[in-house]
Amino acid sequence: MTRTAMIAGAGYAGLAAAAVLARAGWRVTVYEADPEPRSVGAGLYVHGFVHDALRKTGAYDDFMRGAFKPAAHCVYIDGARQSNASTDGNITTTTRAALHVALIDAARRAGVSIIGGSRAVAADPRGALILADGTRLAADLVIAADGVRSTITQTLDIPITRVAHQDGITRILLDRDGLRDDKWNSIHDFYDYRGRPLRVLYTPCGADAFYFCLMAPITDLEAASVPIAGALWTARFPDLAPALRRVGNSGR
Ligand SMILES: Cc1cc2nc3c(=O)[nH]c(=O)nc-3n(C[C@H](O)[C@H](O)[C@H](O)COP(=O)(O)OP(=O)(O)OC[C@H]3O[C@@H](n4cnc5c(N)ncnc54)[C@H](O)[C@@H]3O)c2cc1C
């Protein structure tokens, strides 16, 4: 008998679970609160075990077509380079949107139905997902993949502890046009503790895109501000100035 899974949330977790189950013969429906599945964020790193997981979803080939392998991982402290290690092809980067699209396509190819504009509000441990319009969807398996603030998990009375980070992170995805020579094919991770602690992580995440993480304590209102305080960041990290100057008003 075909087993049925109802999944709330068409983010990475929901789509990956959906694709794997559908490929194993389950009938799977994903209910997404937004009208269409959409990706937030900039770029990401994909490490060893995630490659294995992606193979199981059927999204791997699409994912790898758009992915990037940075040449080296360079770390700097207070302006001095500490390491320049070859990645030996072991680090893969991509844009979040590219991975999301690969997972959506893989899930659909496997026969998953993705229904947008459907907010789930609860799960019944006896085997049902409940939608905001009152629809009760019986299932052999219900997956709450509705994100870090999961409504569904809260209805199940599962204890959750959240701890707020003391560092603010501004993430930005930008065009690599003109930044394609060797230097910009590597990861550059700058820590600077002189005066005020700041960190910039530059990550090439495709032939056409790079990803910045700008980190500062949330109490440093100038450094943590968005749009970024461009003069402050370029003065502190002159090696990255050509890339930092592109940030302008983007970032969040
Ligand atoms: C602003 C921001 C920027 C980020 N940037 C990065 C980054 O650059 N790189 C990185 O690696 N990580 C980033 N992260 C972290 C990353 O987003 C998460 O780790 C990842 O998205 C978690 O995937 P998920 O599938 O568990 O949840 P989500 O990606 O949160 O997906 C949950 C899905 O469920 C849907 N949903 C929510 N509630 C319901 C409901 N009640 N019913 C139905 N659907 C629902 C949502 O619309 C969403 O589509 C960022 C996070 C935030 C908040």
Side-chain angles (χ1 to χ4, degrees):
M1 199 180 76
T2 304
R3 287 175 295 180
T4 304
M6 300 292 174
I7 300 178
Y12 296 140
L15 292 167
V20 170
L21 287 168
R23 282 158 62 90
W26 289 60
R27 184 181 306 124
V28 186
T29 310
V30 178
Y31 293 88
E32 166 56 45
D34 282 341
E36 294 287 332
R38 68 187 175 94
S39 172
V40 295
L44 45 74
Y45 288 76
V46 175
H47 294 293
F49 73 94
V50 185
H51 287 251
D52 298 336
L54 284 172
R55 284 192 188 92
K56 293 192 168 72
T57 66
Y60 192 69
D61 291 344
D62 282 353
F63 154 69
M64 283 305 289
R65 258 191 290 282
F68 191 76
K69 292 205 174 280
H73 187 179
C74 309
V75 177
Y76 311 77
I77 298 178
D78 294 344
R81 191 161 73 190
Q82 308 295 313
S83 68
N84 177 15
S86 166
T87 63
D88 294 327
N90 289 325
I91 296 180
T92 309
T93 60
T94 188
T95 64
R96 286 176 52 88
L99 178 58
H100 198 233
V101 167
L103 284 169
I104 291 170
D105 290 348
R108 288 197 167 126
R109 273 197 307 275
V112 172
S113 300
I114 303 173
I115 301 180
S118 291
R119 178 171 293 280
V121 290
D124 180 339
R126 289 167 296 184
L129 181 67
I130 321 292
L131 301 184
D133 65 5
T135 307
R136 182 188 166 85
L137 303 156
D140 298 294
L141 176 66
V142 171
I143 298 181
D146 52 339
V148 69
R149 297 185 195 285
S150 172
T151 307
I152 296 165
T153 308
Q154 288 166 35
T155 67
L156 293 172
D157 213 16
I158 296 170
I160 301 174
T161 306
R162 292 200 187 89
V163 179
H165 282 286
Q166 293 309 303
D167 300 331
I169 304 180
T170 303
R171 304 171 178 89
I172 309 141
L173 189 69
L174 291 163
D175 198 317
R176 283 187 65 192
D177 197 21
L179 298 177
R180 291 207 171 85
D181 60 25
D182 282 355
K183 168 179 172 173
W184 303 105
N185 284 330
S186 290
I187 298 162
H188 297 284
D189 198 358
F190 283 81
Y191 295 79
D192 200 313
Y193 301 103
R194 292 169 291 186
R196 65 206 310 179
L198 298 175
R199 179 183 172 198
V200 178
L201 174 63
Y202 165 91
T203 305
C205 54
D208 298 323
F210 73 87
Y211 168 40
F212 259 148
C213 276
L214 278 61
M215 291 166 251
I218 49 176
T219 49
D220 185 340
L221 298 182
E222 184 191 15
S225 64
V226 179
I228 70 160
L232 164 71
W233 290 94
T234 48
R236 196 58 99 75
F237 302 102
D239 287 346
L240 294 176
L244 282 165
R245 277 197 282 271
R246 301 199 168 181
V247 175
N249 289 331
S250 52
R252 60 186 163 65

PDB file of all heavy atoms in Angstrom, residues 157-185:
ATOM      1  N   ASP A 157       3.819  20.819  21.613  1.00  0.00           N
ATOM      2  CA  ASP A 157       4.327  20.959  22.976  1.00  0.00           C
ATOM      3  C   ASP A 157       5.730  20.377  23.134  1.00  0.00           C
ATOM      4  O   ASP A 157       6.066  19.800  24.167  1.00  0.00           O
ATOM      5  CB  ASP A 157       3.347  20.260  23.945  1.00  0.00           C
ATOM      6  CG  ASP A 157       3.308  20.983  25.273  1.00  0.00           C
ATOM      7  OD1 ASP A 157       3.776  22.130  25.311  1.00  0.00           O
ATOM      8  OD2 ASP A 157       2.840  20.383  26.259  1.00  0.00           O
ATOM      9  N   ILE A 158       6.537  20.507  22.095  1.00  0.00           N
ATOM     10  CA  ILE A 158       7.924  20.033  22.168  1.00  0.00           C
ATOM     11  C   ILE A 158       8.767  21.183  22.718  1.00  0.00           C
ATOM     12  O   ILE A 158       8.700  22.297  22.192  1.00  0.00           O
ATOM     13  CB  ILE A 158       8.429  19.622  20.767  1.00  0.00           C
ATOM     14  CG1 ILE A 158       7.613  18.435  20.264  1.00  0.00           C
ATOM     15  CG2 ILE A 158       9.922  19.307  20.789  1.00  0.00           C
ATOM     16  CD1 ILE A 158       7.859  18.089  18.810  1.00  0.00           C
ATOM     17  N   PRO A 159       9.534  20.945  23.781  1.00  0.00           N
ATOM     18  CA  PRO A 159      10.313  22.060  24.338  1.00  0.00           C
ATOM     19  C   PRO A 159      11.356  22.569  23.343  1.00  0.00           C
ATOM     20  O   PRO A 159      12.065  21.770  22.721  1.00  0.00           O
ATOM     21  CB  PRO A 159      11.001  21.451  25.569  1.00  0.00           C
ATOM     22  CG  PRO A 159      10.549  20.052  25.670  1.00  0.00           C
ATOM     23  CD  PRO A 159       9.763  19.682  24.464  1.00  0.00           C
ATOM     24  N   ILE A 160      11.408  23.875  23.169  1.00  0.00           N
ATOM     25  CA  ILE A 160      12.384  24.481  22.254  1.00  0.00           C
ATOM     26  C   ILE A 160      13.088  25.605  23.001  1.00  0.00           C
ATOM     27  O   ILE A 160      12.442  26.406  23.666  1.00  0.00           O
ATOM     28  CB  ILE A 160      11.691  25.092  21.020  1.00  0.00           C
ATOM     29  CG1 ILE A 160      10.913  24.035  20.258  1.00  0.00           C
ATOM     30  CG2 ILE A 160      12.712  25.763  20.103  1.00  0.00           C
ATOM     31  CD1 ILE A 160      10.091  24.598  19.118  1.00  0.00           C
ATOM     32  N   THR A 161      14.400  25.641  22.872  1.00  0.00           N
ATOM     33  CA  THR A 161      15.150  26.749  23.465  1.00  0.00           C
ATOM     34  C   THR A 161      15.827  27.522  22.343  1.00  0.00           C
ATOM     35  O   THR A 161      16.446  26.922  21.465  1.00  0.00           O
ATOM     36  CB  THR A 161      16.249  26.209  24.412  1.00  0.00           C
ATOM     37  OG1 THR A 161      15.629  25.333  25.346  1.00  0.00           O
ATOM     38  CG2 THR A 161      16.937  27.347  25.155  1.00  0.00           C
ATOM     39  N   ARG A 162      15.688  28.831  22.350  1.00  0.00           N
ATOM     40  CA  ARG A 162      16.381  29.655  21.348  1.00  0.00           C
ATOM     41  C   ARG A 162      17.316  30.597  22.073  1.00  0.00           C
ATOM     42  O   ARG A 162      16.950  31.192  23.077  1.00  0.00           O
ATOM     43  CB  ARG A 162      15.389  30.483  20.533  1.00  0.00           C
ATOM     44  CG  ARG A 162      14.520  29.646  19.642  1.00  0.00           C
ATOM     45  CD  ARG A 162      13.920  30.494  18.524  1.00  0.00           C
ATOM     46  NE  ARG A 162      12.959  29.690  17.800  1.00  0.00           N
ATOM     47  CZ  ARG A 162      11.683  29.606  18.135  1.00  0.00           C
ATOM     48  NH1 ARG A 162      11.214  30.305  19.132  1.00  0.00           N
ATOM     49  NH2 ARG A 162      10.871  28.839  17.459  1.00  0.00           N
ATOM     50  N   VAL A 163      18.516  30.731  21.525  1.00  0.00           N
ATOM     51  CA  VAL A 163      19.495  31.638  22.123  1.00  0.00           C
ATOM     52  C   VAL A 163      19.875  32.675  21.066  1.00  0.00           C
ATOM     53  O   VAL A 163      20.294  32.307  19.963  1.00  0.00           O
ATOM     54  CB  VAL A 163      20.759  30.864  22.578  1.00  0.00           C
ATOM     55  CG1 VAL A 163      21.791  31.815  23.177  1.00  0.00           C
ATOM     56  CG2 VAL A 163      20.380  29.765  23.574  1.00  0.00           C
ATOM     57  N   ALA A 164      19.698  33.941  21.395  1.00  0.00           N
ATOM     58  CA  ALA A 164      20.024  34.998  20.426  1.00  0.00           C
ATOM     59  C   ALA A 164      21.536  35.177  20.347  1.00  0.00           C
ATOM     60  O   ALA A 164      22.221  35.222  21.370  1.00  0.00           O
ATOM     61  CB  ALA A 164      19.367  36.302  20.838  1.00  0.00           C
ATOM     62  N   HIS A 165      22.068  35.263  19.105  1.00  0.00           N
ATOM     63  CA  HIS A 165      23.495  35.523  18.928  1.00  0.00           C
ATOM     64  C   HIS A 165      23.823  36.959  19.310  1.00  0.00           C
ATOM     65  O   HIS A 165      22.993  37.852  19.157  1.00  0.00           O
ATOM     66  CB  HIS A 165      23.892  35.312  17.467  1.00  0.00           C
ATOM     67  CG  HIS A 165      24.032  33.872  17.109  1.00  0.00           C
ATOM     68  ND1 HIS A 165      25.085  33.114  17.522  1.00  0.00           N
ATOM     69  CD2 HIS A 165      23.239  33.057  16.385  1.00  0.00           C
ATOM     70  CE1 HIS A 165      24.947  31.886  17.065  1.00  0.00           C
ATOM     71  NE2 HIS A 165      23.828  31.817  16.379  1.00  0.00           N
ATOM     72  N   GLN A 166      25.043  37.150  19.764  1.00  0.00           N
ATOM     73  CA  GLN A 166      25.474  38.506  20.108  1.00  0.00           C
ATOM     74  C   GLN A 166      26.098  39.214  18.905  1.00  0.00           C
ATOM     75  O   GLN A 166      26.438  40.382  18.976  1.00  0.00           O
ATOM     76  CB  GLN A 166      26.482  38.456  21.263  1.00  0.00           C
ATOM     77  CG  GLN A 166      25.858  37.984  22.566  1.00  0.00           C
ATOM     78  CD  GLN A 166      24.587  38.764  22.900  1.00  0.00           C
ATOM     79  OE1 GLN A 166      24.606  39.973  23.002  1.00  0.00           O
ATOM     80  NE2 GLN A 166      23.469  38.053  23.033  1.00  0.00           N
ATOM     81  N   ASP A 167      26.275  38.482  17.807  1.00  0.00           N
ATOM     82  CA  ASP A 167      26.864  39.082  16.615  1.00  0.00           C
ATOM     83  C   ASP A 167      25.790  39.284  15.555  1.00  0.00           C
ATOM     84  O   ASP A 167      24.948  38.416  15.347  1.00  0.00           O
ATOM     85  CB  ASP A 167      27.951  38.172  16.028  1.00  0.00           C
ATOM     86  CG  ASP A 167      29.070  37.939  17.020  1.00  0.00           C
ATOM     87  OD1 ASP A 167      29.304  38.829  17.848  1.00  0.00           O
ATOM     88  OD2 ASP A 167      29.697  36.873  16.959  1.00  0.00           O
ATOM     89  N   GLY A 168      25.857  40.442  14.907  1.00  0.00           N
ATOM     90  CA  GLY A 168      24.960  40.676  13.782  1.00  0.00           C
ATOM     91  C   GLY A 168      25.667  40.277  12.495  1.00  0.00           C
ATOM     92  O   GLY A 168      26.884  40.443  12.372  1.00  0.00           O
ATOM     93  N   ILE A 169      24.923  39.705  11.556  1.00  0.00           N
ATOM     94  CA  ILE A 169      25.522  39.314  10.276  1.00  0.00           C
ATOM     95  C   ILE A 169      24.724  39.953   9.146  1.00  0.00           C
ATOM     96  O   ILE A 169      23.503  39.807   9.090  1.00  0.00           O
ATOM     97  CB  ILE A 169      25.504  37.786  10.072  1.00  0.00           C
ATOM     98  CG1 ILE A 169      26.193  37.075  11.225  1.00  0.00           C
ATOM     99  CG2 ILE A 169      26.168  37.431   8.746  1.00  0.00           C
ATOM    100  CD1 ILE A 169      26.200  35.562  11.090  1.00  0.00           C
ATOM    101  N   THR A 170      25.435  40.653   8.280  1.00  0.00           N
ATOM    102  CA  THR A 170      24.811  41.163   7.063  1.00  0.00           C
ATOM    103  C   THR A 170      25.288  40.292   5.918  1.00  0.00           C
ATOM    104  O   THR A 170      26.491  40.098   5.741  1.00  0.00           O
ATOM    105  CB  THR A 170      25.231  42.626   6.813  1.00  0.00           C
ATOM    106  OG1 THR A 170      24.884  43.393   7.963  1.00  0.00           O
ATOM    107  CG2 THR A 170      24.519  43.190   5.593  1.00  0.00           C
ATOM    108  N   ARG A 171      24.322  39.737   5.173  1.00  0.00           N
ATOM    109  CA  ARG A 171      24.676  38.824   4.081  1.00  0.00           C
ATOM    110  C   ARG A 171      24.293  39.465   2.756  1.00  0.00           C
ATOM    111  O   ARG A 171      23.203  40.012   2.630  1.00  0.00           O
ATOM    112  CB  ARG A 171      23.921  37.504   4.218  1.00  0.00           C
ATOM    113  CG  ARG A 171      24.110  36.800   5.530  1.00  0.00           C
ATOM    114  CD  ARG A 171      23.127  35.657   5.580  1.00  0.00           C
ATOM    115  NE  ARG A 171      23.236  34.882   6.783  1.00  0.00           N
ATOM    116  CZ  ARG A 171      22.571  35.138   7.892  1.00  0.00           C
ATOM    117  NH1 ARG A 171      21.753  36.169   7.956  1.00  0.00           N
ATOM    118  NH2 ARG A 171      22.702  34.367   8.950  1.00  0.00           N
ATOM    119  N   ILE A 172      25.188  39.334   1.803  1.00  0.00           N
ATOM    120  CA  ILE A 172      24.949  39.994   0.521  1.00  0.00           C
ATOM    121  C   ILE A 172      25.433  39.092  -0.608  1.00  0.00           C
ATOM    122  O   ILE A 172      26.536  38.547  -0.542  1.00  0.00           O
ATOM    123  CB  ILE A 172      25.718  41.331   0.434  1.00  0.00           C
ATOM    124  CG1 ILE A 172      25.440  42.173   1.677  1.00  0.00           C
ATOM    125  CG2 ILE A 172      25.340  42.105  -0.820  1.00  0.00           C
ATOM    126  CD1 ILE A 172      26.638  42.907   2.165  1.00  0.00           C
ATOM    127  N   LEU A 173      24.622  38.965  -1.626  1.00  0.00           N
ATOM    128  CA  LEU A 173      25.007  38.226  -2.830  1.00  0.00           C
ATOM    129  C   LEU A 173      25.231  39.248  -3.938  1.00  0.00           C
ATOM    130  O   LEU A 173      24.350  40.058  -4.207  1.00  0.00           O
ATOM    131  CB  LEU A 173      23.875  37.267  -3.211  1.00  0.00           C
ATOM    132  CG  LEU A 173      24.156  36.266  -4.312  1.00  0.00           C
ATOM    133  CD1 LEU A 173      25.170  35.230  -3.851  1.00  0.00           C
ATOM    134  CD2 LEU A 173      22.863  35.568  -4.726  1.00  0.00           C
ATOM    135  N   LEU A 174      26.412  39.205  -4.567  1.00  0.00           N
ATOM    136  CA  LEU A 174      26.737  40.230  -5.558  1.00  0.00           C
ATOM    137  C   LEU A 174      27.326  39.612  -6.816  1.00  0.00           C
ATOM    138  O   LEU A 174      27.782  38.460  -6.814  1.00  0.00           O
ATOM    139  CB  LEU A 174      27.744  41.223  -4.956  1.00  0.00           C
ATOM    140  CG  LEU A 174      27.182  42.112  -3.832  1.00  0.00           C
ATOM    141  CD1 LEU A 174      28.314  42.733  -3.042  1.00  0.00           C
ATOM    142  CD2 LEU A 174      26.277  43.191  -4.400  1.00  0.00           C
ATOM    143  N   ASP A 175      27.349  40.425  -7.869  1.00  0.00           N
ATOM    144  CA  ASP A 175      27.844  39.996  -9.178  1.00  0.00           C
ATOM    145  C   ASP A 175      29.374  39.973  -9.186  1.00  0.00           C
ATOM    146  O   ASP A 175      30.007  40.903  -8.693  1.00  0.00           O
ATOM    147  CB  ASP A 175      27.333  41.014 -10.211  1.00  0.00           C
ATOM    148  CG  ASP A 175      27.393  40.460 -11.605  1.00  0.00           C
ATOM    149  OD1 ASP A 175      28.410  39.837 -11.936  1.00  0.00           O
ATOM    150  OD2 ASP A 175      26.415  40.648 -12.346  1.00  0.00           O
ATOM    151  N   ARG A 176      29.954  38.916  -9.765  1.00  0.00           N
ATOM    152  CA  ARG A 176      31.419  38.818  -9.814  1.00  0.00           C
ATOM    153  C   ARG A 176      32.017  39.480 -11.044  1.00  0.00           C
ATOM    154  O   ARG A 176      33.234  39.385 -11.258  1.00  0.00           O
ATOM    155  CB  ARG A 176      31.842  37.344  -9.798  1.00  0.00           C
ATOM    156  CG  ARG A 176      31.759  36.721  -8.437  1.00  0.00           C
ATOM    157  CD  ARG A 176      32.348  35.336  -8.453  1.00  0.00           C
ATOM    158  NE  ARG A 176      33.769  35.354  -8.735  1.00  0.00           N
ATOM    159  CZ  ARG A 176      34.486  34.276  -9.038  1.00  0.00           C
ATOM    160  NH1 ARG A 176      33.910  33.104  -9.105  1.00  0.00           N
ATOM    161  NH2 ARG A 176      35.776  34.371  -9.283  1.00  0.00           N
ATOM    162  N   ASP A 177      31.215  40.116 -11.825  1.00  0.00           N
ATOM    163  CA  ASP A 177      31.728  40.729 -13.040  1.00  0.00           C
ATOM    164  C   ASP A 177      32.979  41.558 -12.722  1.00  0.00           C
ATOM    165  O   ASP A 177      32.954  42.420 -11.852  1.00  0.00           O
ATOM    166  CB  ASP A 177      30.630  41.623 -13.639  1.00  0.00           C
ATOM    167  CG  ASP A 177      30.939  41.957 -15.078  1.00  0.00           C
ATOM    168  OD1 ASP A 177      31.727  41.214 -15.689  1.00  0.00           O
ATOM    169  OD2 ASP A 177      30.410  42.958 -15.572  1.00  0.00           O
ATOM    170  N   GLY A 178      34.091  41.278 -13.383  1.00  0.00           N
ATOM    171  CA  GLY A 178      35.333  42.016 -13.137  1.00  0.00           C
ATOM    172  C   GLY A 178      36.123  41.486 -11.951  1.00  0.00           C
ATOM    173  O   GLY A 178      37.209  41.977 -11.656  1.00  0.00           O
ATOM    174  N   LEU A 179      35.585  40.510 -11.237  1.00  0.00           N
ATOM    175  CA  LEU A 179      36.287  39.914 -10.079  1.00  0.00           C
ATOM    176  C   LEU A 179      36.439  38.417 -10.326  1.00  0.00           C
ATOM    177  O   LEU A 179      35.948  37.590  -9.560  1.00  0.00           O
ATOM    178  CB  LEU A 179      35.500  40.149  -8.786  1.00  0.00           C
ATOM    179  CG  LEU A 179      35.275  41.597  -8.360  1.00  0.00           C
ATOM    180  CD1 LEU A 179      34.412  41.659  -7.110  1.00  0.00           C
ATOM    181  CD2 LEU A 179      36.609  42.283  -8.099  1.00  0.00           C
ATOM    182  N   ARG A 180      37.110  38.090 -11.431  1.00  0.00           N
ATOM    183  CA  ARG A 180      37.160  36.671 -11.789  1.00  0.00           C
ATOM    184  C   ARG A 180      38.581  36.124 -11.794  1.00  0.00           C
ATOM    185  O   ARG A 180      38.784  34.958 -12.089  1.00  0.00           O
ATOM    186  CB  ARG A 180      36.513  36.450 -13.156  1.00  0.00           C
ATOM    187  CG  ARG A 180      35.000  36.662 -13.127  1.00  0.00           C
ATOM    188  CD  ARG A 180      34.300  35.853 -14.203  1.00  0.00           C
ATOM    189  NE  ARG A 180      32.863  35.884 -14.034  1.00  0.00           N
ATOM    190  CZ  ARG A 180      32.070  36.835 -14.505  1.00  0.00           C
ATOM    191  NH1 ARG A 180      32.575  37.848 -15.186  1.00  0.00           N
ATOM    192  NH2 ARG A 180      30.767  36.777 -14.306  1.00  0.00           N
ATOM    193  N   ASP A 181      39.586  36.949 -11.475  1.00  0.00           N
ATOM    194  CA  ASP A 181      40.933  36.379 -11.521  1.00  0.00           C
ATOM    195  C   ASP A 181      41.180  35.520 -10.282  1.00  0.00           C
ATOM    196  O   ASP A 181      40.317  35.386  -9.416  1.00  0.00           O
ATOM    197  CB  ASP A 181      41.998  37.462 -11.719  1.00  0.00           C
ATOM    198  CG  ASP A 181      41.996  38.486 -10.610  1.00  0.00           C
ATOM    199  OD1 ASP A 181      41.553  38.136  -9.506  1.00  0.00           O
ATOM    200  OD2 ASP A 181      42.415  39.626 -10.847  1.00  0.00           O
ATOM    201  N   ASP A 182      42.382  34.916 -10.209  1.00  0.00           N
ATOM    202  CA  ASP A 182      42.660  33.889  -9.197  1.00  0.00           C
ATOM    203  C   ASP A 182      42.273  34.303  -7.784  1.00  0.00           C
ATOM    204  O   ASP A 182      41.689  33.537  -7.028  1.00  0.00           O
ATOM    205  CB  ASP A 182      44.145  33.516  -9.213  1.00  0.00           C
ATOM    206  CG  ASP A 182      44.448  32.591 -10.377  1.00  0.00           C
ATOM    207  OD1 ASP A 182      43.474  32.207 -11.071  1.00  0.00           O
ATOM    208  OD2 ASP A 182      45.629  32.280 -10.596  1.00  0.00           O
ATOM    209  N   LYS A 183      42.635  35.527  -7.439  1.00  0.00           N
ATOM    210  CA  LYS A 183      42.375  35.972  -6.062  1.00  0.00           C
ATOM    211  C   LYS A 183      40.914  35.774  -5.688  1.00  0.00           C
ATOM    212  O   LYS A 183      40.581  35.329  -4.591  1.00  0.00           O
ATOM    213  CB  LYS A 183      42.749  37.447  -5.929  1.00  0.00           C
ATOM    214  CG  LYS A 183      42.247  38.078  -4.639  1.00  0.00           C
ATOM    215  CD  LYS A 183      42.651  39.526  -4.517  1.00  0.00           C
ATOM    216  CE  LYS A 183      41.968  40.157  -3.307  1.00  0.00           C
ATOM    217  NZ  LYS A 183      42.434  41.510  -3.046  1.00  0.00           N
ATOM    218  N   TRP A 184      40.025  36.100  -6.614  1.00  0.00           N
ATOM    219  CA  TRP A 184      38.591  36.107  -6.294  1.00  0.00           C
ATOM    220  C   TRP A 184      37.961  34.727  -6.444  1.00  0.00           C
ATOM    221  O   TRP A 184      36.759  34.561  -6.235  1.00  0.00           O
ATOM    222  CB  TRP A 184      37.866  37.148  -7.161  1.00  0.00           C
ATOM    223  CG  TRP A 184      38.442  38.514  -6.977  1.00  0.00           C
ATOM    224  CD1 TRP A 184      39.255  39.184  -7.839  1.00  0.00           C
ATOM    225  CD2 TRP A 184      38.305  39.357  -5.823  1.00  0.00           C
ATOM    226  NE1 TRP A 184      39.629  40.394  -7.309  1.00  0.00           N
ATOM    227  CE2 TRP A 184      39.057  40.529  -6.072  1.00  0.00           C
ATOM    228  CE3 TRP A 184      37.622  39.241  -4.609  1.00  0.00           C
ATOM    229  CZ2 TRP A 184      39.142  41.576  -5.153  1.00  0.00           C
ATOM    230  CZ3 TRP A 184      37.705  40.281  -3.696  1.00  0.00           C
ATOM    231  CH2 TRP A 184      38.453  41.427  -3.971  1.00  0.00           C
ATOM    232  N   ASN A 185      38.791  33.729  -6.807  1.00  0.00           N
ATOM    233  CA  ASN A 185      38.280  32.352  -6.862  1.00  0.00           C
ATOM    234  C   ASN A 185      38.465  31.624  -5.537  1.00  0.00           C
ATOM    235  O   ASN A 185      38.132  30.447  -5.426  1.00  0.00           O
ATOM    236  CB  ASN A 185      39.001  31.560  -7.959  1.00  0.00           C
ATOM    237  CG  ASN A 185      38.491  31.937  -9.335  1.00  0.00           C
ATOM    238  OD1 ASN A 185      37.328  32.314  -9.481  1.00  0.00           O
ATOM    239  ND2 ASN A 185      39.351  31.855 -10.334  1.00  0.00           N
TER     240      ASN A 185
END
